[in-house]
Amino acid sequence: MNLYIRKADLAVGNILVIANQSKETIFIASRDKNNPFLIKLYNRLNTLIGEIKLKNNFLKIYSININGEEKATINALPMIDLKYVHLSQVNWNVLGNLVSSNYHVTQAGKEIMAVQPVVLSQGHPGLELSFTNLDDGPMGTLLAIFLDKYIKLPTLAPKTDLDDLGMKSKIPYLNNFKNRCN
C-alpha cells in the first residue's frame, strides 16, 4: 500500500494529511506548537493511534508510542553524512539517503517500508511511503514525518570565523561550498 504526504505540509504546517492513491485521508498528523518534537498521529475517526516525542532531552532520545505503548526509541541522530538510523525494540534499520528522503526500512533483512520523493498532483512535491504490511503504517508514517522534519543538512560555520583567522576549514565540503559561493 502506498501513502502520500505533501512536502509543503511537512515544511511549515502543524497539520499533515496522509492520503492514499485515491486521495482518501488515511492518517492525520499534528505537531505541537509548544513542543515541536511531539508529533501525534490520528486515524480518520480522529482517534489518537500514535505519537513520537522527545523522551530524554539530555541524551536526545525519541520515543515512538503506538496505542499508548512504547514500540521503539531513536537515539541521537548524527547530522553529518547521515545514512543509517536504528529503531530499538522493533529492530528496524533505516538505510539510504535520509537527507533527500530516499530510503528503505528493513527488519531482519526484509523490507518493511520504502520512502521516496515524488511529484504529486498539480506538481506539488511530496513523499511516497510504500508499505508491505499496512499494520506497520502508523509507526512508519511517524518515522517518515520525523526524519523529514528534523534531519538537517550539515550547517556551515559562520563565514567570519574562518575568514578572519586566515584559515581554511579542515572539512572538505566547507571549502568546496565556500569556493562555489564566492
Short mmCIF file of all heavy atoms in Angstrom, two decimals, residues 1-2 5-6 11 19 28 68 70-71 116 140 145 169 173:
data_model
loop_
_atom_site.label_atom_id
_atom_site.label_comp_id
_atom_site.label_asym_id
_atom_site.label_seq_id
_atom_site.Cartn_x
_atom_site.Cartn_y
_atom_site.Cartn_z
N MET A 1 0.85 -1.18 0.00
CA MET A 1 0.00 0.00 0.00
C MET A 1 0.89 1.23 0.00
O MET A 1 1.90 1.28 0.67
CB MET A 1 -0.90 -0.01 1.23
CG MET A 1 -1.67 1.26 1.39
SD MET A 1 -2.87 1.14 2.68
CE MET A 1 -3.92 2.45 2.21
N ASN A 2 0.49 2.23 -0.76
CA ASN A 2 1.24 3.48 -0.84
C ASN A 2 0.47 4.60 -0.15
O ASN A 2 -0.75 4.72 -0.33
CB ASN A 2 1.49 3.87 -2.30
CG ASN A 2 2.41 2.90 -2.99
OD1 ASN A 2 3.10 2.12 -2.35
ND2 ASN A 2 2.43 2.95 -4.30
N ILE A 5 2.40 12.14 1.34
CA ILE A 5 2.43 13.33 2.20
C ILE A 5 2.97 14.47 1.35
O ILE A 5 3.99 14.31 0.68
CB ILE A 5 3.34 13.14 3.42
CG1 ILE A 5 2.97 11.90 4.20
CG2 ILE A 5 3.30 14.37 4.32
CD1 ILE A 5 3.96 11.55 5.32
N ARG A 6 2.33 15.63 1.40
CA ARG A 6 2.84 16.81 0.68
C ARG A 6 4.02 17.39 1.43
O ARG A 6 3.97 17.56 2.65
CB ARG A 6 1.75 17.89 0.57
CG ARG A 6 0.73 17.61 -0.45
CD ARG A 6 -0.31 18.69 -0.58
NE ARG A 6 -0.14 19.82 0.31
CZ ARG A 6 -0.31 21.09 -0.05
NH1 ARG A 6 -0.66 21.39 -1.26
NH2 ARG A 6 -0.15 22.06 0.82
N ALA A 11 6.99 20.97 5.67
CA ALA A 11 7.90 22.09 5.90
C ALA A 11 7.35 23.12 6.86
O ALA A 11 8.07 23.59 7.75
CB ALA A 11 8.25 22.75 4.57
N ALA A 19 -2.50 10.62 2.78
CA ALA A 19 -3.58 10.09 1.93
C ALA A 19 -3.09 8.89 1.14
O ALA A 19 -1.89 8.68 0.98
CB ALA A 19 -4.07 11.18 0.99
N ILE A 28 -4.00 11.56 9.96
CA ILE A 28 -3.78 13.00 10.15
C ILE A 28 -2.75 13.12 11.26
O ILE A 28 -2.90 12.53 12.33
CB ILE A 28 -5.08 13.73 10.54
CG1 ILE A 28 -6.12 13.58 9.44
CG2 ILE A 28 -4.80 15.20 10.83
CD1 ILE A 28 -7.51 14.05 9.83
N GLY A 68 -0.62 3.93 22.89
CA GLY A 68 -0.23 4.13 24.28
C GLY A 68 0.93 3.27 24.76
O GLY A 68 1.34 3.36 25.91
N GLU A 70 4.98 2.07 24.24
CA GLU A 70 6.23 2.42 23.59
C GLU A 70 6.69 1.26 22.72
O GLU A 70 6.92 0.15 23.18
CB GLU A 70 7.32 2.76 24.61
CG GLU A 70 8.59 3.23 23.96
CD GLU A 70 9.64 3.68 24.97
OE1 GLU A 70 9.27 4.22 26.02
OE2 GLU A 70 10.82 3.47 24.69
N LYS A 71 6.82 1.53 21.41
CA LYS A 71 7.20 0.50 20.45
C LYS A 71 8.65 0.61 20.02
O LYS A 71 9.25 -0.37 19.59
CB LYS A 71 6.31 0.56 19.21
CG LYS A 71 4.88 0.21 19.46
CD LYS A 71 4.73 -1.26 19.74
CE LYS A 71 3.26 -1.62 19.85
NZ LYS A 71 3.05 -3.02 20.09
N GLN A 116 10.32 7.57 -0.78
CA GLN A 116 10.99 8.25 -1.88
C GLN A 116 10.26 9.53 -2.22
O GLN A 116 9.05 9.63 -2.03
CB GLN A 116 11.07 7.35 -3.10
CG GLN A 116 9.73 6.95 -3.66
CD GLN A 116 9.87 5.90 -4.75
OE1 GLN A 116 10.92 5.37 -4.98
NE2 GLN A 116 8.78 5.63 -5.44
N GLY A 140 5.57 3.59 10.69
CA GLY A 140 6.33 4.02 9.53
C GLY A 140 6.02 5.46 9.14
O GLY A 140 6.92 6.21 8.76
N ILE A 145 7.72 11.17 8.91
CA ILE A 145 7.48 12.58 9.24
C ILE A 145 8.62 13.11 10.09
O ILE A 145 9.15 14.19 9.85
CB ILE A 145 6.13 12.75 9.97
CG1 ILE A 145 4.99 12.46 9.02
CG2 ILE A 145 6.00 14.15 10.55
CD1 ILE A 145 3.63 12.32 9.70
N SER A 169 38.86 25.69 6.44
CA SER A 169 38.24 24.62 7.21
C SER A 169 38.91 23.30 6.89
O SER A 169 39.32 23.05 5.77
CB SER A 169 36.76 24.55 6.89
OG SER A 169 36.21 23.39 7.45
N TYR A 173 33.94 19.63 2.57
CA TYR A 173 32.74 20.16 1.93
C TYR A 173 32.56 21.64 2.24
O TYR A 173 31.94 22.37 1.50
CB TYR A 173 31.49 19.34 2.27
CG TYR A 173 31.01 19.45 3.68
CD1 TYR A 173 30.20 20.51 4.09
CD2 TYR A 173 31.32 18.48 4.61
CE1 TYR A 173 29.76 20.59 5.39
CE2 TYR A 173 30.88 18.56 5.90
CZ TYR A 173 30.10 19.62 6.29
OH TYR A 173 29.66 19.69 7.57
#
